[in-house]
Amino acid sequence: MKMAKYVMKRLVLMLFVLFVITTVCFMLVRILPRPLPDYKNLRDIILARWEALGYNEPLLVQYGIYLKNIFTSWDFGTSWYIEVNEPAWNLLTDRLLPTVLVNLYSLILSIPIGIGLGVYAAINKNKWQDSFISTAVMIFISVPAYVYAFLVQYFLYFKFNLLPLQVLSLADAGGSWFTWKMFKSMIAPVLALSFGQIAGLCRFTRAELTETLTSDYMLLARTKGLTRAQATSRHALKNAMVPILPMIISTFIGVLAGSFVIEQIFSIPGVGQLYMMSIRLFDYDVFMMDMIFYTFISLLAGIVVDISYGFIDPRIRMGE
Amino acid sequence: MENKKFDSIPKEKFTLVHHGERISDKKFDDKPIGYFKDALIRFKKNKASVLAFWIILGILAFSILAPVLITNHDSKFMCNMYAKKPARIASMLNVKIFDGGMDTKSNETGFIKLVGIGMAAADGDGQGVTVSEGLASEYSPMIEIGEAYEQEISKTRSTTYYPFRVDAYLREGFVYRSVEQSEYARIKAWEEETGLQVLYPVIDNNEWTIDPEDANYWYKTNSKGQPVKVNAAGDATVITYSENMVLEDNYKRDAEGNVMYYTYAGGGNADTAQYRVRLLYYNYYQYLYGSTPDYVMGTDSQGYDLALRIAGGIKLSMTIAISVSIINFIIGAMWGAVAGYYGGTVDILMERITDILAGVPFIVVATLFQIHLAAKVGPIVCLLFAYILTGWIGTSSRVRTQFYRFKNQEYVMAARTLGAKDKRIIWKHIFPNTLGTIITSVALVIPSTILSESNLSFLGIIKLGTADYSSLGNLLAEANGIWTNYPHLMIYPALFISLLMITFNLFGNGLRDAFNPSLRGTED
């Protein structure tokens, strides 16, 4: 009961924050001058549409219309330049899949490797394996993602020509995101994303596991006759997972937001690229849509992490 | 030990320990070790962090000293002929990373053109030249020539490719320029003085000239750019490459058959008359700027010295990062102190505000600031605003937690009983306790600021590049797309950014461990 109340409280608070941010962003975006296309017919059409949609009303009235459209018809505005007259919502959902795929593949790759390396380092604490892994992790976590992207492109494309330079367009890959050709072209960005994630997960796992390995219940487990491997896997690892799982969950939600830089370098037609395109082409309705999306995702990630603690570890009681 | 009898010691052998002297506490021999000194001692034990600290100092020294050490041009110097060139130092040409070389390959036509540059340079007065003389010339762009090989283009055709390493500076070869007659005389005088030849014979514009603007086709060519031999009847046969290939020059000659070094291009009196001349650019560069083109890291995509651009970029990034962390430190400390000390309604209100600010993704903040304010206050100030708007939240929540921990402790109560005002309690009694955690977070803000700045530059959301300065991220953004042909454009900035990130993270982690009293004694 308390849990439900806590979740409700958090959700209401999240909606409030989202509302405030949306309002401020809307005002800031709508007061920007909107460029018009040079082509006269299109310009007249767009101007007429704007007039009809109330873009020339006072700012607060515009905001009222905007909210009304969202609540009554789930209409977040229209794209005027990227894909003329398409609803902004459709543009976003169209681009969600490539972003999610690339990030999901990289998560699938990095979670086992990251946790595995972390566990290995923690078990061999203060031995050479540990210091080697820790040093590598320090380096890999610090180097920016685009450097990996460059390296992957250089070695896998220019040196050995194993993979395509960029992610294929939908048409080139046979009209589906799930063909083998498409998957192959996604390997490069997946690798570029994974280095950092593996390092991050490894560091986190190692830190948590070394802490649980030295706790008293481990001593108890050993004294009652468990082998070291048994004690580690049944007690230490389980407890170390308490903070690790929420972290994975939040990364999982963060997957939706994707990585701007990687999408840019590998020209993945994802949400990040949409964001960049909407700024470049001054497509402000799409920009607004993308902003709401990113804000929502980051707020959601925070809540889910907090709540998941309560589910995973019965000792943690929420809202008390 | 010897067995002694202690029960029969004579009384006079006993003396009082303290007889006639005042007993007082002994003064400490050492100086007392405070919190910061203790942290410093423990920081010094962390070898990696100390090393990182010295590397950071080294990078900073590079960014400050580079403009002092590179004396032949300053950071605003730009030569667009020599844009995107790899590193080259004239006095260290035998060291491979400083020879200005690029490994490449070419078909026969292109290969002969490059060999021809050296031949033309060796033959400054049109007397005729052999291939070996040309390759031996110090202006020959060929550094190393590999074995020629056949490569299939299609099933029926194959082409011969010549792999070679070419000097990217010398391959520019010759250029046409229009100079005033007075300038022409000055070049002549400079040639006399230094013994370096700048002016080379001009090329005739006739049927054997493929491109009258390209000063490197000094030999007779057909319409495909292949060198040809022309017989008396005017029939052309294509010359193929060999060790003793002879190219037929196409120089403009006067009535006596001597080559000409300029053509009159118009203009009035003796001073303003325009001469069209053909210049060996490498030597012309020396004439113009007084030194050979020496670039320790090559040139960037526009022709600035990359080393100086990087040095400037580090300075810019560090300035932004340090000012951001200091400002965030001040705002975060004050906000967190007030929220944590007063608690209650004040705290809840302030927390809601930070909730809202923390909810906005940083990229959105940066974009909005950039769109609205970049034209008014410039991109750097804009970026600072964006960082400061949300950056202090982390610091403030740390300070707030610390205040909650300390505000109800006895010594605070004692201070309050003695009549200390809130202000005094906050800053004098509680705040120093939070310093350790804050300093760590300040140190870790620096790499994250550098990283996000470079990401934003890379994406093109901010543009921190003008003639005066360029951020590291901007250099990388400029390299994006072309770096495969000019790897140095990406390698050097990426190397410095990665090094900065690694060292600052190591340094920050060292500080965090050093300032964390609970880790005390666990390291050993």
Side-chain angles (χ1 to χ4, degrees):
Chain A
M1 200 52 224
K2 264 183 182 154
M3 185 80 185
K5 208 174 149 194
Y6 176 76
V7 173
M8 280 308 292
K9 202 179 130 197
R10 287 296 304 260
L11 280 177
V12 169
L13 195 65
M14 180 188 100
L15 287 178
F16 168 71
V17 171
L18 186 65
F19 175 75
V20 173
I21 294 173
T22 311
T23 311
V24 173
C25 287
F26 182 86
M27 303 296 169
L28 286 175
V29 170
R30 273 293 160 92
I31 57 172
L32 289 170
R34 287 168 171 259
L36 282 162
D38 294 329
Y39 182 51
K40 191 168 178 312
N41 278 356
L42 189 62
R43 181 160 65 194
D44 289 348
I45 293 170
I46 287 183
L47 278 176
R49 290 281 296 150
W50 284 357
E51 181 64 43
L53 288 170
Y55 281 28
N56 302 329
E57 304 281 334
L59 209 54
L60 278 176
V61 180
Q62 282 187 41
Y63 188 53
I65 297 173
Y66 186 71
L67 286 185
K68 196 187 101 205
N69 284 341
I70 292 177
F71 286 118
T72 54
S73 51
W74 202 248
D75 174 11
F76 285 87
T78 315
S79 164
W80 302 107
Y81 305 108
I82 298 175
E83 280 176 41
V84 181
N85 278 345
E86 269 293 302
W89 173 254
N90 290 5
L91 247 74
L92 182 77
T93 46
D94 282 351
R95 279 149 212 271
L96 215 48
L97 191 59
T99 304
V100 171
L101 272 186
V102 170
N103 285 279
L104 207 59
Y105 289 148
S106 109
L107 265 189
I108 293 172
L109 179 72
S110 43
I111 288 175
I113 301 180
I115 293 186
L117 282 177
V119 170
Y120 184 72
I123 292 172
N124 292 302
K125 200 188 171 206
N126 293 337
K127 290 187 198 155
W128 68 268
Q129 294 99 327
D130 175 40
S131 33
F132 177 76
I133 290 177
S134 298
T135 316
V137 158
M138 196 62 230
I139 292 171
F140 276 99
I141 225 167
S142 307
V143 173
Y146 46 77
V147 176
Y148 298 127
F150 288 144
L151 290 176
V152 167
Q153 279 189 336
Y154 183 74
F155 284 106
L156 294 182
Y157 177 74
F158 288 101
K159 266 265 140 94
F160 304 111
N161 208 1
L162 295 172
L163 297 171
L165 183 61
Q166 290 176 329
V167 170
L168 298 173
S169 68
L170 202 51
D172 286 338
S176 162
W177 292 108
F178 297 99
T179 57
W180 166 245
K181 238 172 141 183
M182 181 56 96
F183 178 72
K184 200 181 157 191
S185 75
M186 279 180 176
I187 293 177
V190 166
L191 280 180
L193 273 175
S194 298
F195 286 113
Q197 273 175 356
I198 291 175
L201 265 171
C202 175
R203 180 165 82 169
F204 202 65
T205 311
R206 181 192 170 274
E208 292 302 328
L209 194 58
T210 43
E211 212 179 305
T212 49
L213 275 177
T214 51
S215 48
D216 293 339
Y217 57 79
M218 277 297 285
L219 206 61
L220 178 70
R222 290 301 299 281
T223 32
K224 78 178 185 191
L226 266 63
T227 63
R228 192 159 176 241
Q230 279 173 327
T232 306
S233 61
R234 288 186 202 164
H235 296 280
L237 204 55
K238 240 184 192 169
N239 279 297
M241 277 298 155
V242 171
I244 295 172
L245 270 183
M247 187 204 169
I248 292 177
I249 293 170
S250 86
T251 335
F252 207 74
I253 299 173
V255 155
L256 290 171
S259 164
F260 286 84
V261 177
I262 296 292
E263 284 189 14
Q264 191 84 344
I265 294 177
F266 291 96
S267 66
I268 303 167
V271 261
Q273 208 192 39
L274 183 70
Y275 183 85
M276 300 306 304
M277 217 142 85
S278 66
I279 299 171
R280 209 172 49 240
L281 299 175
F282 308 104
D283 208 338
Y284 288 135
D285 282 7
V286 181
F287 180 53
M288 215 29 234
M289 172 81 253
D290 236 2
M291 263 184 338
I292 296 177
F293 174 72
Y294 279 121
T295 313
F296 178 73
I297 292 294
S298 70
L299 290 174
L300 192 68
I303 291 188
V304 171
V305 167
D306 283 354
I307 295 173
S308 60
Y309 270 112
F311 280 111
I312 295 162
D313 189 350
R315 288 172 304 177
I316 300 173
R317 297 257 177 273
M318 288 293 161
E320 282 176 11
Chain B
M1 205 185 246
E2 230 174 299
N3 211 4
K4 277 185 180 169
K5 283 204 165 139
F6 291 112
D7 46 359
S8 59
I9 303 170
K11 201 180 176 188
E12 61 272 16
K13 283 211 170 175
F14 287 99
T15 52
L16 288 167
V17 179
H18 302 289
H19 187 67
E21 52 182 299
R22 256 189 89 207
I23 305 172
S24 59
D25 279 340
K26 217 177 162 191
K27 235 185 154 187
F28 283 120
D29 286 339
D30 312 345
K31 280 186 179 156
I33 295 176
Y35 180 52
F36 285 95
K37 183 128 192 236
D38 178 50
L40 185 69
I41 289 170
R42 280 188 297 137
F43 180 78
K44 275 186 187 158
K45 273 189 200 157
N46 192 338
K47 291 281 175 328
S49 299
V50 175
L51 179 69
F53 176 70
W54 286 112
I55 295 177
I56 292 172
L57 282 192
I59 294 173
L60 289 183
F62 163 77
S63 77
I64 292 163
L65 290 181
V68 182
L69 294 177
I70 297 173
T71 47
N72 47 2
H73 43 249
D74 61 12
S75 62
K76 285 177 196 166
F77 172 79
M78 185 187 95
C79 168
N80 52 12
M81 270 296 276
Y82 284 158
K84 311 188 192 81
K85 300 292 183 221
R88 184 183 199 275
I89 297 174
S91 55
M92 294 171 79
L93 289 182
N94 43 358
V95 183
K96 201 168 179 186
I97 50 169
F98 292 128
D99 65 357
M102 296 159 78
D103 289 311
T104 177
K105 65 174 185 186
S106 168
N107 59 10
E108 189 168 14
T109 314
F111 179 69
I112 292 179
K113 191 180 171 190
L114 287 175
V115 172
I117 290 173
M119 292 167 73
D123 180 29
D125 41 13
Q127 300 292 319
V129 64
T130 62
V131 173
S132 54
E133 275 171 9
L135 290 178
S137 157
E138 63 172 309
Y139 301 113
S140 169
M142 291 302 176
I143 300 171
E144 247 178 71
I145 300 176
E147 269 318 292
Y149 63 93
E150 295 275 316
Q151 192 176 349
E152 271 185 28
I153 308 175
S154 63
K155 281 197 176 108
T156 49
R157 272 187 338 131
S158 70
T159 308
T160 314
Y161 277 108
Y162 293 81
F164 52 85
R165 187 170 170 81
V166 62
D167 187 316
Y169 294 80
L170 293 172
R171 80 182 292 176
E172 297 292 337
F174 299 90
V175 290
Y176 282 122
R177 286 282 188 273
S178 273
V179 295
E180 283 182 358
Q181 198 187 0
S182 53
E183 177 80 2
Y184 181 80
R186 271 201 296 280
I187 299 177
K188 272 277 180 208
W190 188 83
E191 280 187 339
E192 290 279 314
E193 191 188 315
T194 57
L196 299 170
Q197 190 172 0
V198 179
L199 297 160
Y200 276 77
V202 286
I203 299 163
D204 204 2
N205 190 3
N206 55 23
E207 60 192 303
W208 309 114
T209 312
I210 176 176
D211 179 3
E213 293 304 316
D214 189 337
N216 290 326
Y217 280 119
W218 59 275
Y219 45 86
K220 290 179 180 165
T221 59
N222 62 14
S223 59
K224 285 180 192 160
Q226 292 165 314
V228 290
K229 196 185 214 89
V230 184
N231 64 14
D235 297 325
T237 42
V238 174
I239 303 173
T240 53
Y241 180 74
S242 68
E243 296 285 315
N244 36 25
M245 165 184 79
V246 178
L247 294 174
E248 249 177 64
D249 74 58
N250 197 17
Y251 293 137
K252 200 177 188 120
R253 289 171 197 272
D254 59 11
E256 286 119 51
N258 293 324
V259 290
M260 296 159 70
Y261 289 98
Y262 63 89
T263 51
Y264 181 65
N269 60 33
D271 260 2
T272 58
Q274 292 285 317
Y275 282 175
R276 184 171 150 91
V277 291
R278 182 164 162 263
L279 308 158
L280 179 61
Y281 194 78
Y282 185 78
N283 280 349
Y284 184 54
Y285 180 99
Q286 296 185 48
Y287 163 75
L288 285 179
Y289 309 120
S291 72
T292 47
D294 289 337
Y295 296 99
V296 198
M297 294 177 192
T299 57
D300 79 349
S301 56
Q302 297 164 57
Y304 293 101
D305 185 333
L306 190 59
L308 292 176
R309 286 298 252 192
I310 289 177
I314 294 171
K315 247 184 281 177
L316 179 68
S317 296
M318 289 298 293
T319 317
I320 291 176
I322 291 175
S323 29
V324 164
S325 62
I326 290 174
I327 296 173
N328 285 346
F329 167 78
I330 295 170
I331 299 178
M334 296 209 294
W335 188 278
V338 172
Y341 183 74
Y342 292 105
T345 328
V346 180
D347 185 29
I348 290 173
L349 270 178
M350 290 173 100
E351 275 298 280
R352 286 298 86 82
I353 295 173
T354 47
D355 274 351
I356 291 169
L357 285 177
V360 197
F362 177 69
I363 193 160
V364 171
V365 178
T367 316
L368 284 176
F369 265 112
Q370 212 59 30
I371 295 175
H372 277 278
L373 286 175
K376 286 178 204 144
V377 297
I380 297 183
V381 182
C382 249
L383 190 64
L384 278 179
F385 278 150
Y387 280 123
I388 289 162
L389 183 71
T390 56
W392 51 269
I393 291 172
T395 315
S396 99
S397 71
R398 276 193 199 91
V399 175
R400 180 172 163 271
T401 326
Q402 293 290 324
F403 265 79
Y404 264 100
R405 251 178 73 189
F406 287 103
K407 73 176 176 187
N408 289 327
Q409 295 207 345
E410 285 82 356
Y411 76 93
V412 176
M413 237 182 283
R416 193 173 291 132
T417 322
L418 287 172
K421 294 272 180 342
D422 281 353
K423 201 174 136 195
R424 189 180 162 84
I425 294 175
I426 289 177
W427 298 119
K428 200 85 189 166
H429 294 286
I430 308 182
F431 185 70
N433 288 310
T434 67
L435 264 180
T437 48
I438 299 176
I439 287 173
T440 310
S441 74
V442 166
L444 286 172
V445 162
I446 293 175
S448 74
T449 307
I450 294 175
L451 178 68
S452 66
E453 180 271 316
S454 75
N455 273 336
L456 290 176
S457 291
F458 191 86
L459 290 169
I461 290 177
I462 50 165
K463 289 188 182 64
L464 295 181
T466 66
D468 296 337
Y469 60 84
S470 174
S471 76
L472 289 175
N474 193 55
L475 288 173
L476 281 166
E478 285 172 350
N480 189 23
I482 55 171
W483 65 270
T484 47
N485 292 327
Y486 313 101
H488 72 283
L489 287 183
M490 193 276 293
I491 291 175
Y492 289 112
L495 198 72
F496 273 98
I497 272 198
S498 307
L499 209 57
L500 270 180
M501 298 297 301
I502 294 170
T503 48
F504 262 109
N505 279 335
L506 271 176
F507 177 65
N509 288 350
L511 275 188
R512 186 192 56 204
D513 294 348
F515 277 118
N516 188 350
S518 66
L519 284 178
R520 194 175 187 171
T522 57
E523 303 98 328
D524 312 314

